[in-house]
Amino acid sequence: MRVLVVEDERLLADAIAEWLRAEAHAVDLAHDGTSALERVYVNDYDVVVLDRDLPRTHGDDVCRAMVRADASARVLMLTAAAEVTDRVDGLGLGADDYLTKPFAFPELAARVLALGRRSRPAAPPTLRRAGIALDPARREVFRDSRYVPLAKKEFAVLAELLRADGGVVSAERLLEKAWDEHTDPFTGAVRLTILKLRRKLADPPVIETVKGVGYRIP
């Protein structure tokens, strides 16, 4: 998934990003509310992890702006305030979930994954097609009951192809969902990852190239 982490405490922001990247998510960072809105209006995020107490533009105002813009991203709001009224206020602004600081990174990752599922059309917990079974929660992939070890980007790209349910996914869409904003779109990263996936998934070939359009698992 593509995740935006908005947190002005840079060490904490980096730690959250590192943990989510280890879960095979593409993560962008913003350290104030104004920068966050600039990214939200440009990029198609699945989840925004949003600190409530932000400089420049307050987290509450970021959340309100996302609701007004009908942004599809789900919002996980972070705050140091633990009072019930604070949580209710945050959810009332349009946040989808609320997590108080300090928090455990595994819990944050689990909540991000759950919100990401809600940002898309309903899908089964395990994605299946063409003999492939991918479990997003356990980060496991099997082909015809054979375990297939995948790197993070390979896993993310395969998940997007399976979610398309036989439809064609463009290279641009794969780049947007599996890599962060600092990736050069002309690096050939998608093509190289598809080649590695094909090799690891083995024969018979399962990922098709639709010339000039993208890739699909029919």
Side-chain angles (χ1 to χ4, degrees), residues 83-143:
E83 295 297 326
V84 172
T85 53
D86 293 301
R87 296 198 295 272
V88 170
D89 288 345
L91 294 171
L93 292 168
D96 298 278
D97 199 0
Y98 204 95
L99 191 59
T100 56
K101 301 176 181 178
F103 52 80
F105 286 110
E107 181 182 4
L108 181 141
R111 290 183 184 230
V112 166
L113 183 60
L115 288 176
R117 291 196 186 111
R118 289 165 55 187
S119 73
R120 304 167 180 263
T126 298
L127 303 172
R128 301 179 187 275
R129 192 172 188 86
I132 299 170
L134 181 149
D135 186 330
R138 293 186 174 88
R139 292 181 55 218
E140 292 180 341
V141 174
F142 293 85
R143 172 109 194 254

Side-chain angles (χ1 to χ4, degrees), residues 20-154:
L20 293 177
R21 285 169 181 149
E23 297 290 317
H25 302 307
V27 182
D28 295 335
L29 290 175
H31 300 298
D32 61 75
T34 302
S35 299
L37 285 175
E38 291 172 353
R39 286 167 170 78
V40 166
Y41 293 149
V42 171
N43 299 311
D44 182 18
Y45 293 107
D46 295 290
V47 178
V48 175
V49 179
L50 178 66
D51 183 41
R52 192 170 185 183
D53 189 16
L54 291 170
R56 298 184 70 188
T57 302
H58 195 274
D60 290 358
D61 295 323
V62 172
C63 196
R64 289 192 189 97
M66 290 178 63
V67 171
R68 286 196 301 268
D70 198 25
S72 61
R74 300 292 182 172
V75 175
L76 172 58
M77 187 169 277
L78 305 179
T79 182
E83 295 297 326
V84 172
T85 53
D86 293 301
R87 296 198 295 272
V88 170
D89 288 345
L91 294 171
L93 292 168
D96 298 278
D97 199 0
Y98 204 95
L99 191 59
T100 56
K101 301 176 181 178
F103 52 80
F105 286 110
E107 181 182 4
L108 181 141
R111 290 183 184 230
V112 166
L113 183 60
L115 288 176
R117 291 196 186 111
R118 289 165 55 187
S119 73
R120 304 167 180 263
T126 298
L127 303 172
R128 301 179 187 275
R129 192 172 188 86
I132 299 170
L134 181 149
D135 186 330
R138 293 186 174 88
R139 292 181 55 218
E140 292 180 341
V141 174
F142 293 85
R143 172 109 194 254
D144 297 326
S145 300
R146 174 182 64 86
Y147 176 69
V148 182
L150 296 180
K152 298 170 191 174
K153 297 303 181 189
E154 296 161 1

